[in-house]
Amino acid sequence: MSLFSFLGTLEIGLIFGLVAMGVYLTFRVLDFPDLTVDGSFTLGAAVAATLIVSGVNAYPATFAGCLAGAAAGVVTAWLNLRFNILHLLASILTMTALYTINLRVMGKPNLALITDPTVLTPFEGLGLANIYLKPIFVGVWVIVVGVLFALFLKTQYGLAMRAVGANKRMAQANGIVVKEKVYVGLALSNGLVALAGALFAQTNGFADSTMGIGTIVVGLAAVIVGETLLSSRKMLMIIFSCIVGSILYRLAMGFALNADFLGFNASDLNLITALLVGLALVLPQLRKEWKAKQAAIKANGGDA
Amino acid sequence: MIRCEQLKVTFNPGLPSEKKALRGIDLEIPQGEFVTVIGSNGAGKSTLLNAVAGDIPASGGRILFGDKDVTKTPATGRTKEVARVFQDPLAGTCASMTIEENMALAYGRGSRGKLSFALNDKLRKIFREQLSRLNLGLENRLDAEMGLLSGGQRQSVSLLMSALQPSSILLLDEHTAALDPKTAALIMDISAQIIAGKQLTVMMVTHSMRQALDFGSRTLMLHEGKIVFDLAGEDRSNYEISDLLELFAKARGSDEALDDDKLLLGS
Amino acid sequence: MKFSTFAKAAALAAGVICANVQAEQTYIATTAIVEHPALDSVRAGIKDTLMENGYTDENLKFTFESAQGSPVTAAQIARKMVGNSPDLIIAIATPSAQAAVSASEDIPVIFSVVTDPLGAKLVSNLEKPGSNVTGLSDMLPLAQQLELLQEIMPNLKTLGVPYNPGEPNAVSSVEALKIIAKEKGIKIIEAPASKTSDVALASQKLIGSADAIYCPIDNTIISALEAVVKTGIDGQIPVFAADTDSVARGAIAALGFNYYDLGKQTGELVLRVLNGEKAGDIPVKFAKGTDLAINPKMAARMGIEIPASVTERATQIIE
């Protein structure tokens, strides 16, 4: 893999690190399976791109994209809390509706941003080549957001949110208003994912109505890979592992793309990615079993 | 203090599965009194506690804390006054979070400190002090996952958690029922310590006739959603378990045999 | 644990780098948003044009990646392609082209099968694109196609159009179609289908409300063309297409492009750049299509007969 390819993969991996954080918040912290992200990723991109193309400055446009994503999260939470619709189904409803809403927002299925100013524009032409500027810029954003997110989860409010997902009854017995935490949690999660979408559109030059399909799968894979390889109780480490998991997933896909020398076809991409990610998940387990076996042999040898 | 006026709780009203769990409870518990609540299964003991806590809405009647009518207040609104310990050690704590995190949560009960950090060294010191009272060595394991602790250890921590923030009412719902006798005794000891120290109004549901008479100063017996008798003061201190059983049978009508093994064996 | 993962990664990377070191070769990296017959024909046409002009497996490295329908994957592919420093990049379909143009600074990009290159911001000027991008647009000769339909079905009043509202090419075509159809007195009924599994249902809804069905150039519809054909047979509604490959698969007639031919036209652009012309100096090419393909047997199964005037002109008759 060449340096440029690696940097490109790193950049996309970092952006999806935000998605992984959002998915971590809903799936793990709140115990609320949320498929809205397939729609809110695109919504963030659509809103930001539409505003940028109509002349709005890229920064407020990106922020607007986040707010739109947060609103989508609130809708899912509302469907679940007000009407008792199963969380998974509520999120599917929102995701499905968003598909049309995104088309309406953009006015057409594909909106190009190649020549428009983006959040990167103030930093371009300062001497750093784009291939380095993009990943560094994205990296800084993602790390700052990640640190803030980790700190948030360590506050009383964040702890309360974690309790809601861990033991609702106990949370209520301790004065925590469950509904409020769910609304805020889903808004925050989808806001993060929408931010990722807005960043992606600006660093890759387009917002496309189909770009969000499969986001939940990528997010989950990143969270799980991160958890498996870097398990920790410390909040900062957990958030870091989400980002690392996302990067590793993209790297796996990057290697799959380069695998033609092994005799694979272009259409084998998904299978190879799955195999690589599966390997990442299985290796620690195998290692654990091997270690246990070694320990058992030692113990028996010692007795004899 | 707690006052219930004609408190009624009906589950599934109007449906074939309708159950009148509480049929008009009139009760006044002065501040600082420790009341034990007994009764056979289905009598409504837990329902009464849940109604006082606000987990279950009242279908009729009123509940008051002192002068404040809390009948319509949801559970989260009553947590300034009410602390609870559940029967199931898992129900009262978050198994996936650490001891210090659980305690920090309980510490925040009644006041949600919003965006300040939930844990800091000052708090950890307070938690350690509290935990050392248990003599279980838990003060050195603040960052241990709650799920790794035994039932007794969890219940001990739950007890401490209930006392971290001032409350006027403590509800204990068979909180030693899932523990072995030795641990149960330890927990009751600690409970008594905490209650004495804080002048709490306590309602303790128990299946053990022994506990019902040994602890507190008043005993209520519930049967089919009503209070069938209310023992306090001199009368109560002279009561033996056998007397209690007789009274029980009388109140229920002698044609109903006592088939509740736990009640008999709880000595 | 972490170390072993990275060690594995390093070993794989070393292998890849070794495999990529080759002798003097022209290296062309191609990609498409998805694989289906029309887009595959374009690629075949490009490769054959190169083969016919002196490029062989010896002196040409021709790689292909499919984005499996995902624009995000297309972006990653674009980065990878640029990172491998090919002499030229060929990107087929709008999202793949956009990702390639966005990622590439110096490497020439030739796009193909993009209906609206200006709208997709691939070029700022159709005559002289300027930077390092040019390519082939497959904007349809819609007026001619509608005239063909009217020739085969003089009483045509309503035309059902299945398409994917999420595909930029299709949406621009349908918009343009509605305008031209109005001038000709034909009413367009839209039948949206956002994925291939929705196509059957979308086309079935047209039974009873449309006199005929017209399938635009739409990757989703083309991938599921057989479903539309089945609807045409079951509901006795004639099905027409906008690309000639679809006629072999069951559409009654199409005036349009032969996608293999489009590939050859794209190949010519590729040759010009390989021979030294700057991509930005070459005007965007608009595909020529004069192929008329007909399928008389299918026409009969759908309940109509193709008039002799059309049969005479046909360049391709499917048996």
Side-chain angles (χ1 to χ4, degrees):
Chain A
M1 190 183 278
S2 68
L3 176 67
F4 188 80
S5 186
F6 174 74
L7 287 175
T9 306
L10 183 68
E11 182 193 313
I12 299 181
L14 283 167
I15 292 179
F16 275 81
L18 291 171
V19 172
M21 285 188 239
V23 169
Y24 173 76
L25 180 56
T26 48
F27 261 75
R28 285 278 184 256
V29 173
L30 283 172
D31 199 20
F32 188 118
D34 180 24
L35 266 59
T36 315
V37 298
D38 271 26
S40 44
F41 182 79
T42 314
L43 182 62
V47 168
T50 308
L51 287 174
I52 288 176
V53 161
S54 30
V56 175
N57 178 282
Y59 281 85
T62 307
F63 185 63
C66 293
L67 286 182
V74 168
V75 168
T76 300
W78 183 69
L79 286 173
N80 168 252
L81 292 171
R82 173 72 181 78
F83 299 105
N84 258 325
I85 301 176
L86 183 67
H87 33 43
L88 199 59
L89 292 177
S91 65
I92 292 176
L93 284 175
T94 314
M95 168 188 78
T96 313
L98 278 176
Y99 190 73
T100 309
I101 292 175
N102 289 333
L103 282 173
R104 282 296 193 108
V105 165
M106 292 195 286
K108 44 188 179 143
N110 177 297
L111 200 54
L113 280 180
I114 301 176
T115 51
D116 297 87
T118 66
V119 283
L120 279 158
T121 313
F123 300 93
E124 283 168 359
L126 282 183
L128 199 58
N130 259 355
I131 55 163
Y132 297 112
L133 174 65
K134 278 185 184 175
I136 293 177
F137 181 81
V138 168
V140 168
W141 265 57
V142 171
I143 290 176
V144 167
V145 171
V147 168
L148 288 175
F149 184 52
L151 290 179
F152 167 73
L153 286 174
K154 290 172 81 164
T155 62
Q156 268 288 355
Y157 199 92
L159 189 64
M161 214 182 260
R162 293 167 57 200
V164 163
N167 189 336
K168 201 166 84 163
R169 201 164 172 225
M170 182 264 196
Q172 276 178 318
N174 278 292
I176 297 172
V177 181
V178 166
K179 282 193 180 178
E180 178 203 311
K181 303 294 179 292
V182 174
Y183 276 115
V184 171
L186 256 82
L188 193 56
S189 161
N190 284 282
L192 281 171
V193 173
L195 175 63
L199 279 178
F200 182 86
Q202 290 174 71
T203 51
N204 288 283
F206 66 95
D208 188 289
S209 62
T210 60
M211 67 197 283
I213 297 175
T215 304
I216 186 66
V217 172
V218 175
L220 277 174
V223 170
I224 294 174
V225 168
E227 275 176 353
T228 311
L229 295 180
L230 286 178
S231 61
S232 165
R233 306 225 87 252
K234 293 189 166 50
M235 217 66 236
L236 270 169
M237 270 310 273
I238 294 177
I239 301 304
F240 181 64
S241 77
C242 288
I243 301 176
V244 167
S246 173
I247 296 176
L248 287 177
Y249 177 83
R250 287 291 156 189
L251 277 174
M253 195 185 272
F255 281 120
L257 285 174
N258 276 310
D260 21 294
F261 70 95
L262 285 173
F264 286 114
N265 294 325
S267 38
D268 296 332
L269 174 64
N270 286 342
L271 176 62
I272 299 171
T273 312
L275 284 174
L276 284 172
V277 173
L279 201 61
L281 296 175
V282 160
L283 273 178
Q285 176 67 18
L286 288 179
R287 205 155 174 261
K288 215 200 277 185
E289 287 174 12
W290 186 79
K291 267 198 176 147
K293 228 195 230 165
Q294 294 297 95
I297 293 173
K298 226 193 225 168
N300 285 336
D303 281 358
Chain B
M1 72 114 141
I2 306 172
R3 192 159 76 223
C4 301
E5 292 173 1
Q6 277 295 302
L7 179 62
K8 293 194 179 70
V9 171
T10 309
F11 294 121
N12 298 324
L15 296 174
S17 51
E18 177 179 288
K19 167 139 171 70
K20 291 198 165 71
L22 293 179
R23 295 161 192 263
I25 303 275
D26 285 306
L27 180 60
E28 192 172 309
I29 306 178
Q31 181 66 31
E33 185 162 76
F34 186 149
V35 178
T36 54
V37 181
I38 56 174
S40 53
N41 291 334
K45 315 186 291 296
S46 283
T47 311
L48 177 59
L49 247 63
N50 283 331
V52 170
D55 265 1
I56 298 177
S59 318
R62 298 205 301 163
I63 304 175
L64 297 102
F65 293 165
D67 289 327
K68 200 164 86 170
D69 185 332
V70 294
T71 322
K72 299 264 183 269
T73 320
T76 47
R78 301 189 202 182
T79 52
K80 267 206 167 71
E81 290 104 343
V82 178
R84 308 185 61 171
V85 182
F86 299 91
Q87 171 181 35
D88 179 4
L90 284 172
T93 54
C94 293
S96 56
M97 292 175 20
T98 62
I99 295 182
E100 58 181 8
E101 283 170 343
N102 272 277
M103 293 183 83
L105 262 172
Y107 191 80
R109 170 169 58 85
S111 74
R112 280 291 132 203
K114 301 303 165 186
L115 288 179
S116 51
F117 282 129
L119 274 170
N120 54 44
D121 286 333
K122 192 180 92 179
L123 280 177
R124 284 202 181 91
K125 193 149 166 271
I126 296 175
F127 296 162
R128 274 202 198 94
E129 273 168 32
Q130 291 286 318
L131 284 168
S132 53
R133 292 167 61 182
L134 298 173
N135 284 325
L136 290 171
L138 292 173
E139 61 273 18
N140 300 320
R141 299 174 59 190
L142 275 183
D143 55 358
E145 244 180 62
M146 210 66 187
L148 293 174
L149 271 56
S150 70
Q153 290 170 321
R154 268 203 294 273
Q155 212 60 320
S156 314
V157 179
S158 295
L159 255 178
L160 285 183
M161 280 163 60
S162 70
L164 275 175
Q165 279 296 344
S167 64
S168 49
I169 299 169
L170 179 61
L171 300 176
L172 303 167
D173 194 349
E174 299 192 54
H175 68 304
T176 59
L179 307 171
D180 64 86
K182 182 157 163 253
T183 320
L186 170 67
I187 297 293
M188 279 314 300
D189 252 348
I190 298 170
S191 308
Q193 270 179 47
I194 291 175
I195 293 165
K198 294 201 173 211
Q199 298 282 313
L200 298 169
T201 309
V202 183
M203 289 177 75
M204 180 171 90
V205 168
T206 177
H207 259 215
S208 156
M209 307 286 264
R210 183 83 272 156
Q211 270 184 7
L213 288 176
D214 283 352
F215 291 94
S217 54
R218 182 175 167 189
T219 302
L220 295 175
M221 178 176 277
L222 290 186
H223 184 57
E224 286 182 357
K226 281 179 120 61
I227 299 178
V228 290
F229 66 83
D230 189 341
L231 278 176
E234 279 285 316
D235 297 332
R236 183 170 175 273
S237 39
N238 291 333
Y239 255 67
E240 288 297 328
I241 292 182
S242 44
D243 301 322
L244 210 57
L245 288 173
E246 242 184 75
L247 211 51
F248 193 100
K250 216 192 286 181
R252 289 170 64 171
S254 43
D255 52 271
E256 274 187 52
L258 251 173
D259 51 8
D260 204 328
D261 279 351
K262 265 179 128 183
L263 273 176
L264 287 168
L265 295 170
S267 45
Chain C
M1 206 186 296
K2 249 186 350 189
F3 177 70
S4 65
T5 315
F6 288 143
K8 185 168 63 88
L12 215 60
V16 168
I17 292 170
C18 289
N20 274 340
V21 170
Q22 294 275 4
E24 274 292 335
Q25 275 189 329
T26 309
Y27 176 14
I28 297 180
T30 61
T31 178
I33 188 67
V34 79
E35 289 174 274
H36 70 58
L39 299 186
D40 296 346
S41 307
V42 171
R43 206 170 74 241
I46 296 174
K47 192 136 189 249
D48 287 353
T49 310
L50 292 166
M51 294 290 160
E52 286 158 19
N53 281 279
Y55 288 93
T56 64
D57 284 329
E58 295 296 310
N59 60 13
L60 171 68
K61 183 166 164 207
F62 190 88
T63 63
F64 171 69
E65 299 285 354
S66 158
Q68 320 284 338
S70 158
V72 175
T73 309
Q76 195 164 351
I77 291 175
R79 304 306 178 89
K80 179 217 163 194
M81 286 193 300
V82 172
N84 288 339
S85 300
D87 297 300
L88 191 131
I89 292 178
I90 302 176
I92 303 174
T94 307
S96 293
Q98 285 172 318
V101 169
S102 180
S104 162
E105 310 234 333
D106 304 316
I107 305 174
V109 175
I110 310 273
F111 58 81
S112 189
V113 191
V114 172
T115 307
D116 186 3
L118 266 184
K121 298 210 182 134
L122 296 174
V123 295
S124 46
N125 182 309
L126 292 172
E127 285 303 311
K128 197 172 153 97
S131 60
N132 249 320
V133 183
T134 189
L136 185 83
S137 162
D138 64 339
M139 203 167 273
L140 293 170
L142 289 170
Q144 283 180 289
Q145 290 186 333
L146 280 182
E147 279 161 16
L148 174 68
L149 260 61
Q150 284 180 316
E151 203 183 327
I152 298 178
M153 296 178 69
N155 296 324
L156 182 68
K157 281 282 168 284
T158 50
L159 188 60
V161 181
Y163 76 104
N164 182 349
E167 264 190 56
N169 282 8
V171 169
S172 359
S173 305
V174 173
E175 290 307 303
L177 188 68
K178 286 201 296 207
I179 298 171
I180 299 176
K182 198 160 171 215
E183 288 165 21
K184 296 193 179 299
I186 301 175
K187 182 166 163 242
I188 300 288
I189 303 178
E190 298 177 30
S194 38
K195 41 192 197 308
T196 48
S197 44
D198 294 338
V199 173
L201 199 59
S203 52
Q204 275 159 23
K205 288 213 181 86
L206 295 168
I207 299 179
S209 46
D211 298 326
I213 297 178
Y214 169 80
C215 298
I217 305 285
D218 177 311
N219 292 323
T220 308
I221 307 301
I222 291 179
S223 301
L225 186 74
E226 282 78 11
V228 184
V229 169
K230 185 165 187 303
T231 305
I233 298 173
D234 292 344
Q236 290 286 289
I237 304 186
V239 173
F240 297 93
D243 71 294
T244 50
D245 285 331
S246 296
V247 177
R249 292 166 67 199
I252 292 179
L255 172 72
F257 310 125
N258 175 302
Y259 272 82
Y260 177 75
D261 198 49
L262 286 199
K264 300 207 87 189
Q265 293 175 37
T266 313
E268 274 155 40
L269 290 175
V270 172
L271 283 173
R272 285 172 70 175
V273 174
L274 287 176
N275 287 335
E277 273 186 75
K278 191 164 169 288
D281 292 336
I282 306 176
V284 171
K285 206 173 193 177
F286 282 86
K288 291 186 188 55
T290 49
D291 276 5
L292 172 57
I294 59 172
N295 192 329
K297 285 216 183 69
M298 201 48 82
R301 289 180 74 183
M302 288 178 186
I304 60 167
E305 206 189 305
I306 302 178
S309 57
V310 173
T311 318
E312 278 167 8
R313 294 199 323 264
T315 55
Q316 192 188 8
I317 302 179
I318 310 290
E319 295 302 323

